[in-house]
Amino acid sequence: MDTPFIMVAPNGARRGKADHPALPVSIEETVAAAAACHAEGAAALHLHVRDAAGRHALDPGLYAEALAEMARVLPEMRVQITTESAGMFEVADQLACLEALRPGWASVSVREMARAPELAERLYGLCADEGIEIQHILYDTADAALLRDWQARGTVRPGQESVIFVLGRYEDGPASTPQGIAPFLEALPAVGDWMICAFGAAEHACLAEAARLGGALRVGFENALVDAEGVPHADNGASVRRLLQTIEGDK
């Protein structure tokens, strides 16, 4: 098994210092966490930014500041911004963020885009025209079916095939298991560029199985704060290091 492509998601939209003192909130903290994870083997950053109150934001100015700092400190690490609504933003806000920022890479939930199909058409067209790489967030096989339908209709443009499968949810949702990968692959049998993330203590077990199957991996405090025994990771870098040790042990 070759070493897989690893993206780190160090904070997400919902967690804060009360959940883990090493969870980064500010741009400075996020860039420092990215650098520590890159040193451990992560190749990319899944970027969330927060407003002055620490809340999830889709602010092009904050994103531009974070991207500039990443380019200054760690130009060799790829950066993907999120357009996640987190129950706070509408499709118009997500589209406006991409229109203003024009990033190189963004994650987009087809489930969220379906709230305003006419704006989804504009968003996917913008990304195709501007060369913005899209990674589709799929929470279940119904999302996979929606993606296939939109690809067939031309709403999702050719070349916009990259996906991330989400296993489990936050603490009050279903648990992640490695067996959760198979239904996604069955729903998208021709998928080539795929990644997974997994919530909770089984995160690394799920990611190791994805690595065995040839997928890319997203790891970090957005999805899991603890190891398989429920012991908190010291920080995001420690989680990346532990994941790679798990994968190496599976070879």
Side-chain angles (χ1 to χ4, degrees), residues 19 62 66 71-72 86 113 115 126 132 138 150-151 199 210 217:
D19 297 294
L62 289 173
R72 183 186 72 81
M113 291 300 104
R115 297 175 299 167
L126 169 74
I132 301 170
L138 305 180
W150 281 9
Q151 287 171 331
F199 282 90
L217 318 177

Side-chain angles (χ1 to χ4, degrees), residues 91-232:
V91 177
D93 303 309
Q94 295 165 301
L95 173 60
C97 177
L98 291 176
E99 287 179 328
L101 189 64
R102 317 255 167 151
W105 193 12
S107 63
V108 175
S109 165
V110 292
R111 177 182 298 186
E112 292 180 354
M113 291 300 104
R115 297 175 299 167
E118 71 287 354
L119 295 182
E121 170 74 26
R122 286 176 52 190
L123 185 145
Y124 290 119
L126 169 74
C127 291
D129 292 343
E130 296 294 326
I132 301 170
E133 182 179 347
I134 288 182
Q135 184 183 59
H136 303 280
I137 306 166
L138 305 180
Y139 292 99
D140 56 28
T141 55
D143 287 354
L146 175 62
L147 175 60
R148 292 183 67 179
D149 179 60
W150 281 9
Q151 287 171 331
R153 293 172 183 269
T155 300
V156 173
R157 307 308 202 262
Q160 295 177 340
E161 285 91 21
S162 176
V163 297
I164 180 167
F165 306 140
V166 181
L167 303 186
R169 299 293 183 268
Y170 285 96
E171 284 79 358
D172 57 349
S176 302
T177 67
Q179 291 73 30
I181 301 170
F184 282 108
L185 294 178
E186 291 166 4
L188 293 172
V191 70
D193 182 1
W194 63 277
M195 178 182 287
I196 77 155
C197 65
F199 282 90
E203 178 192 37
H204 288 182
C206 294
L207 298 181
E209 175 63 8
R212 188 186 69 80
L213 295 170
L217 318 177
R218 198 185 86 184
V219 63
F221 282 6
E222 175 168 356
N223 299 110
L225 304 172
V226 301
D227 65 16
E229 288 74 43
V231 177

